[in-house]
């Protein structure tokens, strides 16, 4: 996978608090589409719903400024497009096992369940200077001052001591998913040239976002995932399986079969007692039934 022509070099830092914070500052200052910053170590990395992550050497911590030039309410699909881009990068390195877990975690199937390879957090930099979660984007049309920052953390190699793990909120789980590492998934060069791997992931994410934006048609607000939905479904782990929907505070809000994701990105469950339940990513996570 060759580097995408015309993109700036990925800026690689030895350490920072959060690559998303670094990229948001650059976006506010006018950084161009595809500008990216990576760090060998984060001290205050974060994930969805305010999770605080321990991010030692051994992982890729990368944030990319994206300016796809689409209607603002359509930006909610960027995490999915970025997730498909991350899968592209894994495959380019030789790792074919990784899949996506709704909405956009990178996971590796295992005999005892999924192991987490990485996660994605998209935050918006909107006029006036405001950064909000992608799912909360206000109506309107993205302009020159609008951008999305896609942050991704990927476990490249098994670190010594404490691994990459959540330090705070755990999304209702008794424990986080066990970790998977890219160099143990058929990608032995994943932990080699850090800048080259960061560039590979950046390029793949930008390419996917560009293709998604080009495929949007008409009123994309009602179907922002339409250009990527078929491939997203084929990349998801757990479709057709029995799941429990767990709210951020830990309460189970529904049990049923996870049978689709709609064009807005909501997971749709066929409930055990009949009917369906539709959930946005900020409302719940899906866990295998019985966990």
């Amino acid at each position: 996978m060759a580097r995408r022509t015309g993109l700036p070099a990925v800026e690689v830092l030895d350490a920072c608090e959060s690559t998303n914070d670094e990229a948001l500052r650059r976006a506010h200052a006018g950084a161009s589409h595809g500008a990216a910053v990576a760090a060998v170590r984060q001290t205050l990395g974060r994930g969805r719903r305010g999770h605080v992550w321990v991010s030692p050497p051994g992982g890729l911590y990368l944030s990319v400024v994206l300016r796809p030039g689409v209607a603002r309410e359509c930006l909610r699909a960027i995490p999915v497009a970025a997730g498909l881009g991350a899968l592209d990068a894994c495959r380019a390195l030789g790792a074919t096992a990784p899949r996506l877990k709704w909405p956009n975690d990178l996971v590796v199937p295992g005999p005892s369940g999924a192991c987490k390879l990485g996660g994605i957090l998209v935050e918006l930099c909107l006029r006036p200077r405001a950064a909000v979660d992608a799912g909360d984007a206000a109506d309107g049309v993205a302009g020159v001052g609008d951008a999305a920052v896609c942050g991704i953390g990927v476990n490249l190699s098994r670190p010594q001591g404490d691994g990459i793990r959540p330090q705070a909120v755990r999304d209702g789980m008794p424990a986080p998913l066990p970790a998977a590492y890219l160099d143990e998934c058929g990608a032995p060069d994943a932990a080699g040239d850090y800048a080259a791997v960061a560039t590979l992931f950046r390029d793949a994410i930008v390419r996917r976002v560009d293709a998604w934006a080009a495929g949007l048609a008409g009123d994309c607000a009602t179907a922002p995932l339409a250009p990527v939905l078929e491939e997203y479904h084929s990349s998801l782990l757990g479709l057709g399986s029995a799941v429990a929907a767990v709210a951020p505070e830990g309460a189970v809000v529904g049990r049923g079969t996870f049978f689709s994701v709609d064009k807005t990105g909501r997971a749709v469950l066929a409930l055990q007692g009949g009917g369906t339940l539709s959930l946005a990513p900020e409302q719940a996570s899906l866990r295998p039934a019985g966990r």
Side-chain angles (χ1 to χ4, degrees):
M1 187 179 292
R3 178 178 168 181
R4 185 178 183 277
T5 303
L7 293 180
V10 175
E11 182 180 357
V12 178
L13 308 176
D14 288 334
C16 69
E17 290 186 347
S18 162
T19 60
N20 258 30
D21 286 345
E22 296 289 335
L24 283 166
R25 280 192 284 271
R26 288 156 176 76
H28 281 305
S32 63
H33 182 61
V37 58
V40 176
R41 181 172 63 90
Q42 292 184 125
T43 57
L44 286 175
R46 63 179 180 274
R48 293 176 61 239
R49 299 186 185 141
H51 295 204
V52 179
W53 286 80
V54 174
S55 310
L60 171 67
Y61 314 112
L62 169 72
S63 295
V64 184
V65 177
L66 299 168
R67 299 185 187 274
V70 302
R72 187 175 291 180
E73 63 268 26
C74 299
L75 295 176
R76 72 185 73 183
I78 284 183
V80 170
L84 291 172
L87 286 184
D88 291 341
C90 290
R91 291 164 183 159
L93 288 167
T96 59
R99 304 282 297 279
L100 293 178
K101 175 183 174 293
W102 180 81
N104 59 356
D105 279 345
L106 290 170
V107 295
V108 177
S112 301
C115 296
K116 186 164 181 175
L117 180 65
I120 292 172
L121 173 68
V122 173
E123 295 177 293
L124 302 185
C125 175
L126 305 174
R127 298 170 298 169
R129 303 167 66 88
V132 297
D133 184 83
D136 298 328
D139 289 344
V141 177
V144 174
D146 292 323
V149 166
C150 173
I152 180 169
V154 182
N155 304 339
L156 298 179
S157 61
R158 192 179 296 273
Q160 296 181 347
D162 285 343
I164 302 163
R165 58 183 173 82
Q167 190 178 49
V169 186
R170 290 187 173 177
D171 203 21
M173 291 187 295
L177 292 177
Y181 299 92
L182 197 54
D183 66 354
E184 297 174 1
C185 297
D189 296 329
D193 186 332
Y194 191 86
V197 172
T199 300
L200 179 70
F201 272 87
R202 187 278 307 273
D203 291 357
I205 288 168
V206 171
R207 188 161 31 248
R208 278 288 188 168
V209 169
D210 287 348
W212 158 77
L216 288 171
D219 183 11
C220 67
T222 59
L225 266 65
V228 295
L229 189 56
E230 183 176 353
E231 189 170 3
Y232 181 49
H233 273 136
S234 67
S235 301
L236 277 173
L237 185 68
L239 272 182
S241 63
V243 298
V246 182
E249 68 276 9
V252 174
V253 296
R255 296 183 185 274
T257 300
F258 177 30
F259 76 90
S260 73
V261 175
D262 69 19
K263 292 179 182 180
T264 68
R266 298 171 71 92
V268 184
L269 276 58
L271 299 177
Q272 294 174 344
T276 61
L277 176 64
S278 177
L279 295 162
E282 63 270 20
Q283 292 178 305
S285 295
L286 302 183
R287 303 285 176 251
R291 281 198 60 188

